[in-house]
Amino acid sequence: MNILLLGSGGRESALAWKIAQSPITDNLYIAPGNGGTGQYGTNLAVSPLDFEAVAKVVDDKKIDMVVVGNEDPLVAGIWDWMRENRPKVLVVGPSKAGAQLEGSKDFAKRFMECHGIPTARYRSFTAETIQDGYRFLESLQAPYVLKADGLAAGKGVLIINDLDEAKKSLREMLDGMFGKSSATVVIEEFLSGIECSVFVLTDGNGGYRVLPVAKDYKRVGEGDTGPNTGGMGAVSPVPFADAEFMAKVDERIIRPTVKGLIDEGITYRGFIFLGLINVQGEPMVIEYNVRMGDPETEVVMLRVASDLVQLMRAAAEGDLGELKLEENPATAVTVIMTSKGYPGSYPKGLEITGLETVEHSTVFHAGTKRDGDRLLTSGGRVLAVSSLGDDIPSALRKSYDSISRIAFDGAYFRRDIGQDLMK
Ligand code: AMP
Ligand code: GLY
């Protein structure tokens, strides 16, 4: 089949790497892709949010299936648009209604409440109900968790220790701290535990497969300090997500989610990302996303042994049937190399050298671009240096050795990825 993958990050590099290996892939196009995705297919300078331009690629390149990597086109309704305008083309992803699981935290919380899915106690507020918001904050214990309802590029969650500070932030959020995204604010109870990411591929008709579980490292600094980032590294499998824990996840979270979508008449044929927290052995949902995670995909793809294209095609057609999703039992890690200054402002256009000397890792590109023969940085997260090993230490040794061979000005990475899981 001819496949069009939308997106440009490390996640899309890992998806492209995996898609290109499938015997049923004829041609792979990536829009817009990055400086590394051209190794696996053809980059096209098209914005995933420009649906007319995407449709033109679909026509010109005789695309059979569109795989949507990032959430923005899904929340904007690309699934529904394609179904209306290019009904023969398969799209891996939820309908616009399903994408609300990520597009609106208020929707997601209501969905969980309605279907009995364990999550933090919450209430939602707008400018009209700010006084109720203050009173709700007073009824909670610190720390206080405030979330912008809409998409905020991963920045819309504030965790605040002081009550007055939390009230002030509520006011500022409702006043437009995150633009329209924070016109509604979800306030919820703080949950204490260790997080992991569970990915489910669903066909919208009750069939689903669970992908390898991963843990990401969100804070920029070692020891989980400093501001949140898109993710500084990931590990899979996650030791605490054992069979007993995953049985609870399946029964209490995955099944009610899949069934809840069907019961509400919401079409969902794609990846569901469950951001989970393990609270003393009990899984609870922190958030839903409607796509794969980044950098989790970089480790998950290294561990999916089955043909992902067959699985995605079956899901998009609405019937996973008997297809198996086999896992490679090895451990995968990825360590992200970032630009100096990230997640604040950072320089772009710095030359990257040494990639050809890497032997024992798969380096997925994130923020890179080509300039003739040269490879340049073009984003905050630049490279996802990913390796397989028998255990976490052996996989990490490979990634850190590979990193020592790669250079660009001001390159930064965390040296403690996976350390918390080895204790
Ligand atoms: P999100 O953007 O929803 O993934 O939230 C960002 C991060 O904030 C999560 O990965 C958690 O570490 C943290 N977080 C969100 N909600 C809660 C909560 N209710 N309790 C504790 N931590 C939370
Ligand atoms: N790594 C978290 C995310 O993709 O949202």
Side-chain angles (χ1 to χ4, degrees):
M1 7 170 41
N2 293 329
I3 299 173
L4 172 62
L5 171 64
L6 302 181
S8 62
R11 167 184 47 219
E12 285 73 29
S13 292
L15 286 169
W17 173 84
K18 185 69 182 163
I19 291 169
Q21 290 171 36
S22 168
I24 61 170
T25 300
D26 293 317
N27 295 294
L28 170 64
Y29 300 90
I30 309 101
N34 61 37
T37 50
Q39 299 168 69
Y40 317 119
T42 307
N43 286 347
L44 300 171
V46 166
S47 161
L49 284 169
D50 184 345
F51 298 168
E52 294 286 353
V54 170
K56 185 163 185 311
V57 172
V58 163
D59 298 340
D60 291 351
K61 307 295 184 192
K62 302 195 168 34
I63 298 296
D64 301 295
M65 180 161 79
V66 179
V67 179
V68 188
N70 58 323
E71 64 274 16
D72 295 325
L74 293 165
V75 173
I78 195 167
W79 189 90
D80 310 67
W81 193 93
M82 292 293 288
R83 162 147 282 202
E84 178 84 21
N85 295 282
R86 296 293 184 280
K88 292 208 182 79
V89 176
L90 296 170
V91 179
V92 182
S95 63
K96 187 172 184 173
Q100 286 299 298
L101 281 182
E102 178 166 0
S104 166
K105 297 210 188 274
D106 180 54
F107 175 90
K109 296 297 285 193
R110 248 187 283 186
F111 179 87
M112 288 185 265
E113 191 169 57
C114 182
H115 300 287
I117 296 164
T119 189
R121 201 159 61 87
Y122 85 106
R123 278 183 60 192
S124 300
F125 302 95
T126 61
E128 283 72 55
T129 56
I130 190 166
Q131 296 298 332
D132 299 333
Y134 294 154
R135 275 194 294 279
F136 186 63
L137 283 170
E138 285 161 9
S139 78
L140 297 172
Q141 306 275 322
Y144 307 94
V145 182
L146 281 70
K147 301 187 174 185
D149 174 53
L151 294 183
K155 298 191 179 80
V157 177
L158 302 184
I159 298 180
I160 298 168
N161 280 310
D162 178 76
L163 178 61
D164 288 327
E165 193 70 22
K167 288 180 178 175
K168 181 163 162 262
S169 294
L170 173 61
R171 197 158 58 237
E172 287 171 357
M173 285 175 88
L174 293 172
D175 273 350
M177 187 195 286
F178 301 103
K180 275 203 314 238
S181 289
S182 61
T184 297
V185 173
V186 169
I187 300 179
E188 65 182 39
E189 170 189 39
F190 181 84
L191 299 174
S192 186
I194 182 160
E195 290 173 61
C196 65
S197 306
V198 171
F199 301 97
V200 180
L201 178 64
T202 163
D203 64 15
N205 287 303
Y208 66 88
R209 300 290 181 274
V210 182
L211 286 88
V213 182
K215 179 176 191 298
D216 86 338
Y217 293 79
K218 286 207 170 81
R219 302 293 198 91
V220 73
E222 285 163 17
D224 289 327
T225 53
N228 263 328
T229 68
M232 296 297 295
V235 174
S236 176
V238 179
F240 71 78
D242 56 13
E244 189 190 350
F245 183 80
M246 290 308 292
K248 292 178 186 173
V249 172
D250 188 56
E251 186 192 322
R252 300 177 193 171
I253 298 171
I254 300 176
R255 285 174 187 273
T257 299
V258 167
K259 182 170 182 303
L261 289 165
I262 295 171
D263 289 350
E264 294 195 19
I266 294 173
T267 307
Y268 201 122
R269 298 176 177 178
F271 295 102
I272 308 176
F273 171 159
L274 304 165
L276 302 183
I277 188 162
N278 176 354
V279 183
Q280 287 164 354
E282 309 304 322
M284 297 182 76
V285 178
I286 289 274
E287 64 166 349
Y288 285 109
N289 294 307
V290 298
R291 47 161 177 92
M292 292 294 292
D294 194 352
E296 291 95 325
T297 305
E298 288 89 312
V299 288
V300 171
M301 289 304 129
L302 288 183
R303 296 196 57 234
V304 171
S306 305
D307 181 354
L308 186 71
V309 175
Q310 280 200 33
L311 284 157
M312 291 193 296
R313 177 175 69 183
E317 285 172 344
D319 184 9
L320 278 162
E322 300 298 312
L323 283 180
K324 294 256 184 318
L325 198 161
E326 311 270 10
E327 291 187 7
N328 175 345
T331 292
V333 306
T334 191
V335 180
I336 304 290
M337 297 179 78
T338 66
S339 300
K340 185 183 169 76
Y342 174 79
S345 60
Y346 51 81
K348 290 184 187 176
L350 304 172
E351 182 160 9
I352 305 166
T353 57
L355 277 182
E356 68 291 347
T357 66
V358 170
E359 285 171 8
H360 302 296
S361 302
T362 306
V363 181
F364 295 120
H365 292 225
T368 72
K369 67 173 184 201
R370 297 264 163 204
D371 175 29
D373 286 344
R374 298 193 315 153
L375 183 70
L376 306 179
T377 67
S378 67
R381 291 190 291 173
V382 177
L383 297 168
V385 183
S386 314
S387 312
L388 280 168
D390 292 335
D391 49 23
I392 298 176
S394 70
L396 283 172
R397 268 197 299 279
K398 292 181 191 170
S399 279
Y400 287 120
D401 172 67
S402 299
I403 284 175
S404 74
R405 299 160 184 252
I406 303 170
F408 55 89
D409 215 17
Y412 169 79
F413 57 94
R414 271 179 66 167
R415 291 166 196 273
D416 67 339
I417 300 303
Q419 293 298 327
D420 57 329
L421 298 176
M422 296 194 286
K423 281 180 193 139

